[in-house]
Amino acid sequence: MTEVIRNDREYIANTYARFNVEIERGKGSLVYAPDGTEYIDMGAGIGVTAFGIADEEWKRAVIGQLNAVQHTSNLYYTKPCTELAKALCLRTGMKKVFFGNSGAEANECAIKVARKYAAERKGPKCYTIVTLKNSFHGRTLTTLAATGQEVFHEKFQPLTPGFVHAEPDDTQGLEALVASCDPAAIMIETVQGEGGVKALDAEFVKAVERICRERDLLFIVDEVQTGNGRSGALYSYMNFGVQPDLVTTAKGLGGGLPIGACLIGERAENVLGCGDHGSTFGANPVCCAGALNILNRIDDRLLAEVREKSAYLFRELRGAKGAVSVSGMGLMIGILPEKPAREVVQRCIDRGVLCLTAKDRVRLLPALNIPFETLQRAVAAIKDALAE
Ligand SMILES: *Cc1c(COP(=O)(O)O)cnc(C)c1O
């Protein structure tokens, strides 16, 4: 056991089932252990390092801002957050942005907006938010309540009240639930990431939007994992031809630095007033400068490349020996293996490839710009691991 592993076991809270891999450095989609062992990174820090490790352009943006000013508080104006917010709005048609530091905080903001919007229009009893079973929206007590998976709830009662969970892809069930609970909003992931990389039916996503319009509910799409090019569109809702009222995102937006954003559309653009919400680290100029660089590089050419690599992965992995099925969208891929997913991931590690799990699946979230040759090497190793 190395000193790092010893210290980790002794001093780090015991919340993670880490694999026996220590990462010391990396470049692009390759990472290295202290002894020089090389791994192909098919997890990208759980969909975070959108342009890989130590990307030169992103580093220039981050270091440039670090040399100017690293933090100011939100009492003063700074340029990086305004430029990032403007770019996000221009590319989505949303009207306002609130910056936090994580996906959970982005969702907390959306939930606060939805509650205030509904309270002002329909009174204080209209606060329920409908989310989906098998969803994942974060680890705070409120976003855990939003998360439609009992396993996350059991040990932490009581959670924030006001969340009910509908069955994914069941429009009639959703309509019945909405009719019974007079909600403020419906919140979905278009592809349930932690829930096993399962894309919702396009018809269902359209129905969610329609129900929101008919009843004046806010339509919230959690794009923490699916956003920022991951799905093959800038935001995954764009693949479904819908327009949400609130979009939350984080993970890939920061390129490896912590940032979360809640994008607020026209219907709710003036809901938040002075003092309604805040964050000490939110809109941090270094994180925003890096994120602006990331966002500006998620262009049509890169998105086409993401879709091409996605098609390649589906082609190679569907029907591969040891793979029951393949799900997902863009560079967000779930493989249901015949063997337990964690065992397959360990076999991938033995072959120099780092993959993730999501429930019973092996999950792939590589950097969006992973070179094709590297992807081919990773696929060969993954197929070999699946077949063993
Ligand atoms: C990861 C994730 C979150 C939580 O993000 P944190 O940054 O860990 O708080 C929320 N929603 C979805 C869909 C996610 O994938």
Side-chain angles (χ1 to χ4, degrees):
M1 199 189 298
T2 68
E3 194 186 347
V4 167
I5 295 177
R6 225 176 12 253
N7 282 336
D8 189 294
R9 297 217 173 139
E10 186 162 356
Y11 298 112
I12 299 284
N14 199 18
T15 60
Y16 300 109
R18 298 197 209 278
F19 290 96
N20 195 21
V21 172
E22 181 188 338
I23 296 172
E24 190 180 56
R25 65 199 162 81
K27 191 70 196 165
S29 285
L30 300 176
V31 294
Y32 299 90
D35 67 2
T37 306
E38 180 184 279
Y39 297 97
I40 299 175
D41 182 8
M42 292 296 283
I46 316 192
V48 166
T49 48
F51 287 90
I53 307 295
D55 174 75
E56 292 301 327
E57 260 195 67
W58 172 80
K59 269 194 335 192
R60 254 197 309 282
V62 167
I63 293 167
Q65 184 57 44
L66 204 48
N67 284 328
V69 56
Q70 84 275 29
H71 176 83
T72 61
S73 88
N74 281 304
L75 298 173
Y76 314 107
Y77 295 101
T78 51
K79 189 171 172 182
C81 70
T82 58
E83 290 199 326
L84 177 60
K86 182 178 176 185
L88 285 166
C89 287
L90 290 178
R91 294 191 61 184
T92 58
M94 305 300 275
K95 298 295 183 193
K96 295 270 196 292
V97 181
F98 178 86
F99 289 113
N101 314 288
S102 66
E105 284 172 276
N107 286 334
E108 291 269 350
C109 178
I111 291 162
K112 283 177 78 171
V113 171
R115 284 193 170 182
K116 189 166 180 226
Y117 176 88
E120 283 173 355
R121 291 174 164 239
K122 302 177 192 171
K125 290 216 177 77
C126 181
Y127 56 75
T128 298
I129 294 177
V130 180
T131 69
L132 299 183
K133 290 182 182 161
N134 199 46
S135 59
F136 184 83
H137 297 295
R139 299 283 193 165
T140 63
L141 288 173
T142 298
T143 55
L144 271 185
T147 293
Q149 300 188 53
E150 290 297 328
V151 284
F152 290 110
H153 295 176
E154 285 156 5
K155 291 173 248 171
F156 304 104
Q157 297 293 329
L159 302 176
T160 306
F163 292 89
V164 296
H165 310 294
E167 203 62 56
D169 293 338
D170 175 4
T171 302
Q172 278 186 349
L174 176 66
E175 277 177 333
L177 188 63
V178 165
S180 73
C181 72
D182 188 25
I186 304 176
M187 173 153 83
I188 62 167
E189 301 155 89
T190 60
V191 184
Q192 295 188 321
E194 304 302 316
V197 202
K198 294 178 183 162
L200 297 180
D201 282 348
E203 287 308 304
F204 180 73
V205 175
K206 289 257 194 205
V208 173
E209 183 188 46
R210 172 181 57 76
I211 293 165
C212 287
R213 294 293 156 270
E214 284 169 3
R215 292 180 171 263
D216 189 23
L217 316 180
L218 292 183
F219 176 24
I220 309 173
V221 180
D222 178 343
E223 298 263 9
V224 171
Q225 191 162 153
T226 52
N228 313 300
R230 177 65 49 196
S231 74
L234 179 59
Y235 289 101
S236 72
Y237 73 79
M238 295 168 174
N239 293 315
F240 292 83
V242 294
Q243 185 61 52
D245 300 306
L246 295 158
V247 172
T248 60
T249 193
K251 290 195 168 93
L253 181 62
L257 288 178
I259 186 169
C262 177
L263 281 51
I264 306 167
E266 198 168 10
R267 210 166 268 110
E269 88 173 287
N270 296 314
V271 169
L272 289 182
C274 200
D276 280 341
H277 202 33
S279 165
T280 299
F281 285 117
N284 173 274
V286 177
C287 298
C288 287
L292 181 64
N293 174 267
I294 299 280
L295 186 66
N296 284 340
R297 291 159 67 196
I298 304 173
D299 55 13
D300 288 343
R301 207 187 44 123
L302 182 84
L303 292 171
E305 206 181 292
V306 167
R307 293 192 295 270
E308 216 172 289
K309 288 171 189 166
S310 175
Y312 166 76
L313 286 173
F314 273 104
R315 246 188 347 262
E316 287 287 323
L317 295 169
R318 268 202 176 131
K321 187 157 180 277
V324 178
S325 62
V326 182
S327 63
M329 187 180 280
L331 284 178
M332 185 172 174
I333 303 247
I335 309 161
L336 180 62
E338 283 168 7
K339 304 229 172 69
R342 207 175 153 91
E343 265 176 41
V344 176
V345 168
Q346 183 56 54
R347 291 193 180 123
C348 290
I349 290 173
D350 299 340
R351 290 162 173 78
V353 176
L354 302 181
C355 302
L356 307 166
T357 60
K359 290 249 182 116
D360 54 357
R361 308 202 176 201
V362 176
R363 176 172 43 156
L364 309 180
L365 300 171
L368 305 181
N369 69 343
I370 184 171
F372 205 76
E373 165 275 324
T374 311
L375 196 60
Q376 283 173 318
R377 279 203 288 140
V379 164
I382 292 166
K383 283 167 89 168
D384 196 46
L386 281 165
E388 186 186 311

